[in-house]
């Protein structure tokens, strides 16, 4: 999966192990917001934030290969997914740590209608990078819900959002909800 210039989220469907996440920021610099391997596991999987930051932060392009032998097996005998969020900083801009964010994952078993709660520190406001409802659907039929989450949360210090599910991207399958955001100085 490759995204060029701008912010984004990426998703590798199960089995993620052995697959490569590719990010290209052109002349900009990558800033990893977070990464989750095996979010579809009963235990919620593993956070790979630091590992992916070490591999990708500050570079203009990056390829990150998911390898359970290196990161561990979040739930044996289950095909695991991989979700990550990133930003592309403009060339020449300096990062002082401001604008860092996170990624979230709501398990398919959690609820039929996912609820998101995002909180930034005092003096910082939410900036949604992306969201996907049903990324775990077969054949990539999940739906991009970025604009809905942006409309509900951007510019606020805290946000509690209950997703509006108007179209079922894969009937009969419990869907996950994945999102990425930044906290920007207000």
């Amino acid at each position: 999966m490759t995204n060029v210039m701008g912010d984004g989220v990426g998703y590798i469907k199960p089995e993620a192990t052995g697959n490569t996440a590719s990010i290209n920021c052109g002349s900009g610099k990558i800033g990893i917001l977070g990464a989750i391997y095996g979010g579809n596991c009963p235990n919620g999987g593993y956070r790979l934030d630091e590992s992916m930051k070490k591999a990708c932060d500050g570079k203009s392009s990056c390829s990150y290969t998911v390898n359970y032998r290196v990161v561990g097996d979040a739930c044996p005998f289950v095909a695991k997914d991989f979700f990550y969020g990133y930003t592309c900083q403009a060339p020449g801009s300096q990062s002082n740590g401001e604008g860092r964010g996170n990624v979230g994952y709501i398990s398919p078993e959690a609820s039929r209608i996912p609820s998101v709660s995002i909180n930034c520190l005092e003096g910082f406001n939410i900036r949604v990078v992306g969201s996907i409802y049903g990324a775990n659907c077969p054949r990539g039929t999940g739906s991009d819900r970025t604009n809905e989450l942006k409309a509900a949360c951007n510019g606020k210090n805290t946000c509690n959002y209950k997703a509006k599910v108007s179209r079922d991207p894969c009937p009969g399958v419990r869907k996950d909800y994945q999102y990425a955001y930044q906290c920007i100085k207000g």
Side-chain angles (χ1 to χ4, degrees), residues 160-175:
N160 294 305
Y161 172 71
K162 191 163 188 124
K164 294 170 182 66
V165 181
S166 57
R167 181 184 72 82
D168 189 342
C170 54
V173 175
R174 289 183 157 206
K175 272 91 32 210

Side-chain angles (χ1 to χ4, degrees), residues 72-158:
D73 194 344
C75 51
F77 309 111
V78 173
K80 283 144 295 282
D81 58 10
F82 182 63
F83 177 70
Y84 58 96
Y86 66 93
T87 62
C88 291
Q89 299 172 338
S93 67
Q94 296 292 327
S95 175
N96 58 4
E98 177 188 321
R100 280 295 188 192
N102 208 342
V103 295
Y105 180 90
I106 299 173
S107 160
E109 286 75 34
S111 171
R112 287 192 67 224
I113 309 288
S115 295
V116 174
S117 182
I118 301 174
N119 299 294
C120 291
L121 295 174
E122 180 107 11
F124 289 81
N125 294 326
I126 298 164
R127 180 176 168 277
V128 172
V129 173
S131 69
I132 303 168
Y133 174 65
N136 62 320
C137 288
R139 297 181 309 277
T141 57
S143 61
D144 185 333
R145 298 297 170 102
T146 303
N147 288 336
E148 292 171 8
L149 189 57
K150 280 182 177 182
C153 297
N154 272 5
K156 297 179 180 177
N157 179 258
T158 63

Side-chain angles (χ1 to χ4, degrees), residues 32-36 47-49 52-53 83-86 101-103:
I32 296 296
L33 298 174
I36 301 171
R47 296 297 305 228
L48 298 183
D49 303 357
M52 195 166 187
K53 285 177 184 179
F83 177 70
Y84 58 96
Y86 66 93
N102 208 342
V103 295

Side-chain angles (χ1 to χ4, degrees), residues 11-23:
Y11 180 73
I12 298 176
K13 293 186 176 295
E15 171 66 42
T17 292
N19 286 307
T20 300
S22 297
I23 303 170

